[in-house]
Amino acid sequence: MLVLFAAAALALSGPTGPENSARYALELSVVRGGVTTVSTRSVVVEDGHAMISIVDSERAFEMTAALNTVQGDGNSEQLALSLSVTDGDAEAVEPSLIFDRGETTRVQIGDEDPTGRMVEGFTLNITPVSAPAQPTR
């Protein structure tokens, strides 16, 4: 197994409480030769940040993510996810995407074969997390 170390940390900020926030699982996977070599997962909440560190047998990856409501008319059903992913000493890759609240999204960054299959790079899956049931009174 190529996994040497994988860690995920969750950092929350902002005034939004967990009962009112959108929560999303972030799964970061490193792909080499068309095969996922290591994967880790964290959670980010609306108006919050997440940090993921992952190391395989060749390189270290650091990812920070910020999830915010899209600014506009105040009743937005869209969220903006801003990422910064570094691969060792390489220049950071900083994609941003906007998606509908509750939507599952996937980001692939790296080299693909002619069929669109990732062969070298990383993938990030963003999946809504159901809030725990609140007790009734």
Side-chain angles (χ1 to χ4, degrees):
M1 180 180 262
L2 294 176
V3 179
L4 297 178
F5 172 81
L10 173 66
L12 302 178
S13 65
T16 306
E19 66 278 356
N20 299 330
S21 298
R23 295 177 10 175
Y24 286 81
L26 302 176
E27 182 178 351
L28 178 66
S29 300
V30 177
V31 178
R32 297 202 192 286
V35 176
T36 299
T37 60
V38 65
S39 184
T40 191
R41 192 171 180 171
S42 185
V43 174
V44 64
V45 297
E46 186 177 328
D47 296 325
H49 297 84
M51 295 176 12
I52 295 176
S53 298
I54 190 169
V55 179
D56 70 5
S57 64
E58 296 180 32
R59 294 182 281 199
F61 294 84
E62 298 284 331
M63 181 191 78
T64 58
L67 182 65
N68 296 293
T69 304
V70 173
Q71 299 300 311
D73 57 13
N75 196 12
S76 179
E77 288 300 313
Q78 292 187 318
L79 298 172
L81 182 70
S82 300
L83 301 170
S84 178
V85 181
T86 57
D87 174 4
D89 294 330
E91 186 174 328
V93 176
E94 297 180 329
S96 294
L97 62 130
I98 295 175
F99 60 99
D100 292 334
R101 186 181 304 275
E103 179 180 289
T104 297
T105 304
R106 179 182 177 107
V107 176
Q108 292 188 155
I109 298 175
D111 298 325
E112 299 176 344
D113 67 13
T115 67
R117 183 178 73 108
M118 177 65 63
V119 292
E120 198 74 26
F122 65 88
T123 61
L124 177 69
N125 292 309
I126 302 123
T127 308
V129 176
S130 298
Q134 298 295 319
T136 57
R137 295 183 198 202

